[in-house]
Amino acid sequence: FELFCARAGADDGPWGEQRRLTTDLARELGASTAQLHERMGEALGVFAPQSPAELARALRARAEWAMGEVAFLGERIAGMDERIGRAYDRLAALDALEPAIRIHGDYHLGQVLHEREDPGRWFVLDFEGEPLRPLAERSRPDQPLRDLAGMLRSFDYAAAVGACTDPTWLADVRAAFLAGYAAERPRPSREDAERARILLAALELDKALYEAVYEAQNRPAWISIP
């Protein structure tokens, strides 16, 4: 996390050397994440997924809990409830999800370390799952894209904490991370890619709502980030 915060603060724009080095790191992290998921599937098994409707119901329940805890979001963000509903309606309308595996469950920049050597390897830490989730839920097979959603949210934190002033930094880092992940996976069909886009958006929304609750309870000064 400190590494990406420093990169955000030292950014030199879309065509700069610092931006290139940062997106290279993000791309390598995406590739390492795909390799992590492959190894976890091999070691711990691959499972039938929930139906999209079942997952959407679970996310709606989490959203209702979150909005109850941080009700002021409805006042700050126009049409919040309707926008949440549309995201999960799109998820529920999908025909299927990809197979489930044991995932990291609380994947963000604070859970990874990078070697100082060039090019250096990524190491992943702390597989205990989200602190606010019941213990029994943390080891259940889940969608791999949930980990990607967590890391995408973490880049948003790095941009904020690192005081990045160029909004293209976050967009470029997100895109590089997703490209690195995709490069290690089979090439999807157009339908699979659209399904993944809808699922990832729903899971990233779920993570942002979780973050809002966490920050309200623990770090109110950071509530503006999620």
Side-chain angles (χ1 to χ4, degrees):
F1 182 67
E2 292 177 354
L3 173 62
F4 272 88
C5 287
R7 291 287 188 187
D11 183 56
D12 52 2
W15 312 113
E17 179 68 6
Q18 292 301 316
R19 177 71 64 88
R20 183 190 66 79
L21 292 172
T22 304
T23 54
D24 285 350
L25 279 171
R27 189 174 295 104
E28 292 161 9
L29 179 56
S32 295
T33 304
Q35 294 160 13
L36 170 70
H37 285 159
E38 182 180 359
R39 300 297 183 270
M40 291 182 76
E42 292 171 352
L44 300 173
V46 177
F47 303 87
Q50 291 176 287
S51 72
E54 289 173 328
L55 179 56
R57 279 195 296 272
L59 295 182
R60 287 184 203 276
R62 292 240 301 176
E64 290 175 4
W65 161 77
M67 292 301 289
E69 295 290 324
V70 286
F72 59 85
L73 287 184
E75 301 171 2
R76 292 191 184 185
I77 303 174
M80 183 73 172
D81 289 335
E82 293 78 7
R83 294 162 74 176
I84 292 172
R86 286 197 297 272
Y88 295 148
D89 285 345
R90 288 192 288 269
L91 172 61
L94 297 178
D95 56 348
L97 301 175
E98 71 172 286
I101 60 169
R102 175 72 183 271
I103 64 170
H104 184 281
D106 189 26
Y107 199 52
H108 55 77
L109 289 169
Q111 309 283 42
V112 294
L113 296 174
H114 190 263
E115 284 184 319
R116 291 184 182 274
E117 288 78 6
D118 186 20
R121 295 170 294 176
W122 283 104
F123 292 86
V124 181
L125 315 172
D126 190 359
F127 287 77
E128 69 180 10
E130 284 182 345
L132 295 186
R133 295 187 78 178
L135 189 60
E137 290 184 9
R138 301 185 200 177
S139 60
R140 289 178 187 168
D142 204 343
Q143 288 293 302
L145 290 186
R146 191 183 291 277
D147 282 345
L148 270 67
M151 189 58 70
L152 292 174
R153 293 293 316 129
S154 195
F155 292 137
D156 195 48
Y157 272 71
V161 175
C164 183
T165 58
D166 187 338
T168 67
W169 184 90
L170 182 57
D172 284 355
V173 170
R174 287 170 58 96
F177 174 75
L178 292 175
Y181 188 86
E184 297 291 321
R185 305 269 291 175
R187 185 177 180 85
S189 66
R190 182 178 301 178
E191 292 77 13
D192 287 343
E194 177 63 10
R195 185 185 298 116
R197 186 190 67 79
I198 291 171
L199 174 59
L200 184 59
L203 293 174
E204 194 173 355
L205 170 60
D206 177 67
K207 186 66 174 180
L209 290 170
Y210 171 92
E211 290 166 354
V213 174
Y214 184 90
E215 303 305 354
Q217 294 179 354
N218 297 281
R219 295 181 297 200
W222 282 21
I223 189 64
S224 62
I225 300 176

